[in-house]
Amino acid sequence: MSVRARIASTVRPEVQQIARYHVPDARGLVKLDAMENPYPLPPALGRELADAITHAKINRYPDADASLARAALRNALALPEGVDILLGNGSDELIQIIASTVAHPGGAVVAPEPSFVMYRRTALIANAPFVPVDLRADFSLDVDAMAAAIERHAPSLVFIANPNNPTGNLFAREDLERLIRAAPGLVVVDEAYYAYADASFLPHVLEFPNVVVLRTVSKIGMAGLRLGYVVGHPDWIAEFDKLRPPYNVGALVQEALPVLLRHHEVFDAQAAAIRHERARLSAALRELDLDVFPSQANFVLVRVPDALAAHAALRAARILVKNLDGTHALLGNCLRITVGTPDENDALLDALADHLKGSMK
Ligand code: PMP
């Protein structure tokens, strides 16, 4: 029997049908496709990091509880009294751990769409039905439709990215609370983009028996570390901890995190610069007569006349953005542009203006 035949008879059919998560090759390109912070570490902080890592005991397994890294997060983030936190290899891993803990064939996963693609994928991993509920055309939550889906499917798990990826908007708190009250299971409020938003649900996490808040350091300047955290009632955290691989946060990351968070002001200043550039970029895109959606994240969603052509023109100018056309009915001809440095944003605006001028001829 060939390998192909053995795979066909062995691998779960729903896994055979999907492709792996695709990460485009960005070598040599201005990378505005993945919501990274464009600013590198200041050299002095890099040296401090190198010093800290020198002491890592890499012959030993890391601290399974990641105590120092967790304490550093608690200090840096002024977490509410009474919560506990669990760390993951990126919030991607925590999404899988949480879904594996609560979702199952009889306990669906509900999420708005368009939203972060891993919610759908993680339902598949947990062998749970996935129930998407379309956002309204202005990308606000369709609370009635969500509430109806919750009543009909009694899901184990509801994911809400807030601000939402890829639309960039922040949902109203009263909408979130209505869904949380309606949900019979757990609601994960995913705040990957909290640093760029005007509001957070974190202070309210213990006001409900069924909410946890998910975060990551990826979007604030540490995507390479791979570190996410979930904040919530200690009893929820203890359940997730049962399915966490024991050494999921490596020794180098555990050494690095306290050093980096001690200099949180560096990342705060970068986030402020990115918010400033977000406003400038959005205004300049509007000047190009494009539909620009209001963003509370470090990216901007924009509708262009022809997304495929605009994406290709930018690619030819060595700029990589995300083309969302075809991924959801609400995202026709939409590009998602991560806010870069002022120079990168200027390069993007120039290339896009050239393309639009050319295509009007
Ligand atoms: N949640 C949302 C809403 C995201 O957009 C992303 C990254 N695209 C993640 C979670 C995952 O982030 P990470 O695994 O880097 O922590």
Side-chain angles (χ1 to χ4, degrees):
M1 204 190 224
S2 70
V3 171
R4 264 313 344 147
R6 188 56 65 105
I7 285 171
S9 64
T10 308
V11 173
R12 292 166 54 192
E14 59 275 27
V15 175
Q16 293 190 47
Q17 277 160 22
I18 61 171
R20 73 182 180 129
Y21 186 96
H22 174 64
V23 178
D25 184 1
R27 274 172 296 182
L29 304 183
V30 174
K31 199 168 180 312
L32 302 180
D33 66 327
M35 287 80 80
E36 291 143 328
N37 168 341
Y39 298 103
L41 276 188
L45 184 47
R47 284 191 293 274
E48 214 179 312
L49 194 57
D51 271 356
I53 283 168
T54 308
H55 305 296
K57 296 194 185 74
I58 55 165
N59 58 319
R60 302 286 179 197
Y61 282 106
D63 173 6
D65 291 326
S67 311
L68 292 179
R70 280 165 62 229
L73 274 168
R74 276 187 175 281
N75 283 341
L77 293 157
L79 297 179
E81 284 289 311
V83 297
D84 203 354
I85 57 176
L86 192 72
L87 308 190
N89 187 341
S91 47
D92 279 339
E93 186 189 43
L94 291 169
I95 289 170
Q96 286 192 23
I97 291 172
I98 294 168
S100 313
T101 306
V102 299
H104 56 92
V109 177
V110 165
E113 276 202 343
S115 190
F116 185 36
V117 292
M118 288 308 288
Y119 304 150
R120 180 186 278 273
R121 186 153 287 214
T122 225
L124 179 143
I125 293 170
N127 215 358
F130 181 70
V131 181
V133 179
D134 279 356
L135 295 173
R136 296 203 192 92
D138 66 355
F139 300 139
S140 60
L141 270 183
D142 189 339
V143 192
D144 290 337
M146 288 287 289
I150 287 172
E151 201 180 344
R152 172 132 185 260
H153 297 276
S156 299
L157 182 56
V158 179
F159 282 113
I160 310 270
N162 203 38
N164 189 38
N165 169 19
T167 58
N169 56 312
L170 192 71
F171 300 127
R173 186 158 133 223
E174 56 273 21
D175 289 355
L176 289 188
E177 293 197 354
R178 198 176 140 203
L179 296 179
I180 291 164
R181 286 207 179 83
L186 179 68
V187 178
V188 174
V189 179
D190 180 347
E191 295 194 339
Y193 301 97
Y194 72 96
Y196 306 100
D198 295 336
S200 167
F201 203 76
L202 193 56
H204 311 290
V205 70
L206 292 184
E207 291 169 18
F208 304 86
N210 61 333
V211 188
V212 294
V213 172
L214 184 64
R215 287 200 170 174
T216 175
V217 299
S218 293
K219 317 297 176 183
I220 63 170
M222 304 176 224
L225 276 193
R226 304 308 296 132
L227 191 94
Y229 52 102
V230 54
V231 185
H233 191 285
D235 292 348
W236 275 117
I237 300 297
E239 294 302 317
F240 307 146
D241 205 9
K242 295 176 186 173
L243 292 188
R244 179 179 62 89
Y247 304 109
N248 64 329
V249 179
L252 297 184
V253 174
Q254 293 195 34
E255 289 289 344
L257 194 69
V259 176
L260 294 167
L261 292 180
R262 224 180 289 137
H263 296 278
H264 207 281
E265 74 286 349
V266 170
F267 302 101
D268 289 342
Q270 293 175 346
I274 290 165
R275 282 197 299 265
H276 185 267
E277 273 299 293
R278 176 181 69 198
R280 186 180 75 91
L281 177 65
S282 301
L285 290 167
R286 279 194 191 101
E287 288 284 305
L288 295 177
D289 257 351
L290 302 174
D291 259 352
V292 182
F293 298 93
S295 171
Q296 295 254 314
N298 63 339
F299 58 87
V300 175
L301 187 75
V302 58
R303 180 165 282 127
V304 297
D306 181 343
L308 193 63
H311 183 266
L314 290 171
R315 179 74 186 64
R318 312 212 65 72
I319 299 169
L320 187 63
V321 300
K322 177 85 176 169
N323 178 11
L324 294 164
D325 187 64
T327 61
H328 189 278
L330 291 174
L331 297 175
N333 279 322
C334 284
L335 299 176
R336 188 189 63 199
I337 303 171
T338 305
V339 179
T341 63
D343 285 351
E344 290 172 342
N345 300 331
D346 283 343
L348 169 109
L349 288 164
D350 286 349
L352 198 53
D354 280 353
H355 160 68
L356 292 170
K357 242 184 278 157
S359 58
M360 270 176 351
K361 271 184 205 146

